[in-house]
């Protein structure tokens, strides 16, 4: 994205500037979303635990029967008779606008006029009137309970990534004009698009699996291995990969401005009991999941509960967009799990990915190198991997995991960068030998808005015996029709090199029969690295770059960049308002 506009002829931009402006003005107006935010709807059961949890969070209860609605206050639960009692009163105006909503999507509200946040909507078939305004609601009469919370994902994306969307929109419009008018012979070739709605500036090789009808995007290999010195193994779960003509088939594609070097691409076939799930950690160790338990609490630094966001896979992410009390450039989420008193090990299960913001801001960081970037990247090839990893951890780029012990918070391990385009199921072995009692507390921490997590759980079961087979490629046909399977079969000095946008290879693997009462789970074991292709024209910002050696400098740069263009949005709004007054 950062290179494209630099190659657009200035005369083309000037010639069509009025046309571009007329198109971009609505985009900016849509970006501002003046006075609007979003909320989400989560449906919970009529279990007393759910109702009590909503009470503890000071939720505002609204009871519905047919077309009638009231505020329900002074609520008490009578578990012996399975009833909820309380008092009803008319709804104030600020709670009347969102009595009907769409639970399947983010819902917009006007910040200054309505207040749907923290509402709980209880839909009942019947209730019993008591004295004055008292009512009794049998729990069996509750048809559904809907909890309203702020949709931080939709709200953040609308304000923050809207700016990126406008930039992408501008590039697309100008590119379209060049395409229609002939443009310039110096214009770069058009970039092939990654999966829809992903304005990614950089990533890693894309993996698609074939289902007999077409290819499905699954994820990105060896994320963050941006120099040869950072080459690493990667273990990607391949959900839903099925056979076609008796073979497994997938595609490895370069769809970004990168040079990609894949050393190995083999299938790990794990055969296990039908009622067991398996996951591979970052080192390829297999863990069986038999009884995953969600946390009893999930709180940010300011004690806001995100239990609903991470208790199930529903694309309702915790965005790590609340500041850490100790280091405001970082963000964390503290998790509390019930634990068998004598248990010495647990398996932390997580579904998540990196944010588009991290992808975008890392591009802006690289831009600071300007014309020096190619030389810098070349020098990084000789920097030891552990030094680059230490820098990355000091900047909050991986997702770090801590455990609370008698000595305080202790570092456990980290999850590797996985890219911003697809969530992954991940697992981490947790040593509980220094944790006493029947609770365990973990803390996930990263740079402000660098990760997004959808689901978190813990499993204490013993690992079940499994069989693991490794399948080498039978064929690997590149875009020119050549079979390059020998480049992907072993971890050696031979690489599949994909240096240009549009390079791809279709890989097939044999299948092996599955035993009765067993099932197979497949992982793509890959190894490699990739390099950015950048042609910055600006001078290196050497003084600023030197500051990035400090711990926390990169997330600080990220937050400052974010705040700067939020300030620009505010200025734009004020300018519009002044125009209206005149």
């Amino acid at each position: 994205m950062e290179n494209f506009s630099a190659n657009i002829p200035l005369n083309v931009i000037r010639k069509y500037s009025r046309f571009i402006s007329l198109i971009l003005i609505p985009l900016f107006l849509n970006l501002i979303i003046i006075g609007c935010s979003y909320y989400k709807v989560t449906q919970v059961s009529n279990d007393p635990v759910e109702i009590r949890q909503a009470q503890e969070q000071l939720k505002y209860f609204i009871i519905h029967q047919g077309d009638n609605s009231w505020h329900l206050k002074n609520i008490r639960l009578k578990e012996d008779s399975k009833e909820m009692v309380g008092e009803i009163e008319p709804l104030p105006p600020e709670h009347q606008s969102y009595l009907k909503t769409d639970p399947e999507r983010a819902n917009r509200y006007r910040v200054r006029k309505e207040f749907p946040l923290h509402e709980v909507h209880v839909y009942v078939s019947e209730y019993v009137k008591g004295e004055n305004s008292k009512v009794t609601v049998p729990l069996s009469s509750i048809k559904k309970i809907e909890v309203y919370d702020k949709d931080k994902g939709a709200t953040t994306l609308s304000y923050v990534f809207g700016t990126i969307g406008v930039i992408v929109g501008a590039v697309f419009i100008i590119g379209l004009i060049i395409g229609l008018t002939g443009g310039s012979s110096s214009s770069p070739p058009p970039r092939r698009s990654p999966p829809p709605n992903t304005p990614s500036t950089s990533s890693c090789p894309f993996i698609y699996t074939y289902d007999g009808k077409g290819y499905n995007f699954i994820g990105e290999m060896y994320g963050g291995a941006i120099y040869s010195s950072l080459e690493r193994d990667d273990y990607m779960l391949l959900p839903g990969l099925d056979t076609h003509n008796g073979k497994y088939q997938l595609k490895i594609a370069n769809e970004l401005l990168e040079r990609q070097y894949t050393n190995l691409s083999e299938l790990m076939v794990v055969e296990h009991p039908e009622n067991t799930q398996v996951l591979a950690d970052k080192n390829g160790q297999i863990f069986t999941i038999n009884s995953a338990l969600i946390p009893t609490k999930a709180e940010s630094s300011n004690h806001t509960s995100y239990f609903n966001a991470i208790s199930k896979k529903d694309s309702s992410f915790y965005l790590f967009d609340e500041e850490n009390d100790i280091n405001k450039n970082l963000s964390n989420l503290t998790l509390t799990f019930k634990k068998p008193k004598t248990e010495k090990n647990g398996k932390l299960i997580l579904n998540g990915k990196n944010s588009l913001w991290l992808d975008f801001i890392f591009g802006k960081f690289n831009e600071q190198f300007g014309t020096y970037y190619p030389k810098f990247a070349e020098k990084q090839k000789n920097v030891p991997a552990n030094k680059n990893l230490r820098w990355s951890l000091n900047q909050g780029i991986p997702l770090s995991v801590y455990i609370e012990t008698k000595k305080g918070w202790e570092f456990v391990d980290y999850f590797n960068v996985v890219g911003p385009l697809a969530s992954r199921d991940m697992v981490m072995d947790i040593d509980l030998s220094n944790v006493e009692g029947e609770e365990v507390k973990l803390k996930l921490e990263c740079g402000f808005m660098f990760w997004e997590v959808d689901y978190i759980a813990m499993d204490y079961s013993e690992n079940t015996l499994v069989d693991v087979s490794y399948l080498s490629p039978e064929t690997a046909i590149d875009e020119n029709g050549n079979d390059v399977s020998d480049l992907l079969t072993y971890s050696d000095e031979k690489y599949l090199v994909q240096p240009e946008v549009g390079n791809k290879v279709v890989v097939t693997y044999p299948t092996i029969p599955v035993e009765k009462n067993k099932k197979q789970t497949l992982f793509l074991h890959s190894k490699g690295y990739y390099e950015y292709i950048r042609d910055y024209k600006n001078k290196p910002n050497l003084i600023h770059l030197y500051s990035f050696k400090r711990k926390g400098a990169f997330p600080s740069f990220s937050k400052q960049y974010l705040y700067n263009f939020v300030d620009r949005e505010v200025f734009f709004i004020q300018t519009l308002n002044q125009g209206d007054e005149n």
Side-chain angles (χ1 to χ4, degrees), residues 385-401:
N386 61 349
K387 184 176 181 179
N388 273 319
L389 175 59
R390 186 165 59 250
W391 181 86
S392 183
L393 285 168
N394 285 339
Q395 308 307 324
I397 295 175
L399 184 60
S400 294
V401 179

Side-chain angles (χ1 to χ4, degrees), residues 96-293:
Q96 293 181 10
S97 298
Y98 298 92
L99 302 181
K100 294 182 179 180
T101 190
D102 186 349
E104 301 299 324
R105 63 177 179 85
N107 297 267
R108 185 181 296 184
Y109 70 97
R110 293 169 291 179
V111 176
R112 298 178 182 177
K113 296 187 178 182
E114 290 113 9
F115 193 74
L117 298 186
H118 309 302
E119 289 181 355
V120 173
H121 293 252
V122 183
Y123 296 82
V124 303
S125 57
E126 62 176 355
Y127 66 91
V128 179
K129 287 185 177 180
E131 295 180 359
N132 300 323
S133 59
K134 293 183 178 179
V135 296
T136 299
V137 180
L139 296 185
S140 59
S141 74
I142 297 176
K143 297 188 291 185
K144 66 177 179 177
I145 300 177
E146 291 182 341
V147 179
Y148 291 7
D149 286 302
K150 186 171 184 178
D151 192 327
K152 288 184 172 290
T155 302
T156 302
L157 286 171
S158 68
Y159 282 97
V160 177
F161 294 116
T163 297
I164 302 174
V166 169
I167 296 170
V168 172
V171 171
F172 172 78
I173 292 165
I174 297 172
L176 178 63
I177 292 171
I178 292 174
L180 292 175
T181 60
S184 166
S185 59
S186 63
S187 301
R191 288 174 55 179
R192 295 177 181 239
S193 299
N197 303 317
T198 54
S200 179
T201 59
S202 58
S203 197
C204 26
F206 289 179
I207 297 300
Y208 297 83
T209 56
Y210 189 68
D211 62 5
K213 297 180 180 178
Y215 285 98
N216 303 300
F217 177 72
I218 299 298
E220 305 156 78
M221 296 195 299
Y222 44 79
I226 56 175
Y227 313 115
S228 57
S229 58
L230 293 177
E231 179 177 347
R232 68 173 178 86
D233 293 272
D234 185 70
Y235 300 87
M236 181 191 301
L237 178 65
L238 300 176
L241 178 60
D242 205 351
T243 59
H244 175 63
N245 293 331
K247 308 291 182 185
Y248 294 119
Q249 184 170 310
L250 56 82
K251 179 170 64 175
I252 304 172
N254 181 356
E255 300 188 8
L256 298 169
L257 292 175
E258 299 171 350
R259 290 179 292 268
Q260 300 172 352
Y261 302 84
T262 303
N263 195 335
L264 175 70
S265 177
E266 66 180 2
L267 284 189
M268 286 175 55
V269 182
V270 183
E271 191 166 84
H272 55 93
E274 288 183 334
N275 61 347
T276 299
Q277 178 189 3
V278 296
L279 291 173
D281 71 4
K282 66 181 181 181
N283 300 311
Q285 182 177 349
I286 300 298
F287 294 86
T288 58
I289 310 300
N290 294 302
S291 54
L293 303 173

Side-chain angles (χ1 to χ4, degrees), residues 396-427:
I397 295 175
L399 184 60
S400 294
V401 179
Y402 297 82
I403 189 168
E404 188 176 55
T405 70
K406 293 177 291 185
K407 298 179 181 179
W409 289 106
E410 296 184 1
F411 178 73
V412 178
D413 203 349
Y414 63 91
F415 289 105
N416 278 324
V417 170
V418 298
L421 303 184
S423 290
R424 276 207 200 186
D425 287 321
M426 296 172 276
V427 66

Side-chain angles (χ1 to χ4, degrees), residues 518-572:
K518 296 288 185 73
K519 73 175 186 178
Q520 294 176 345
T521 297
L522 305 178
F523 297 87
L524 176 62
H525 174 206
S526 62
K527 184 179 181 182
Y529 67 97
Y530 58 104
E531 300 171 341
Y532 298 147
I533 300 174
R534 299 295 182 263
D535 184 24
Y536 301 118
K537 302 300 182 184
N538 56 293
K539 292 182 179 179
N541 190 343
L542 297 178
I543 296 177
H544 193 197
L545 284 170
Y546 188 79
S547 71
F548 282 98
K549 293 184 177 182
R550 290 185 294 103
K551 185 176 182 178
F554 176 64
S556 176
F557 165 74
S558 169
K559 282 188 69 178
Q560 190 59 52
Y561 193 95
L562 170 65
Y563 292 157
N564 284 345
F565 75 61
V566 167
D567 288 343
R568 290 197 295 270
E569 287 185 12
V570 171
F571 175 77
F572 185 58

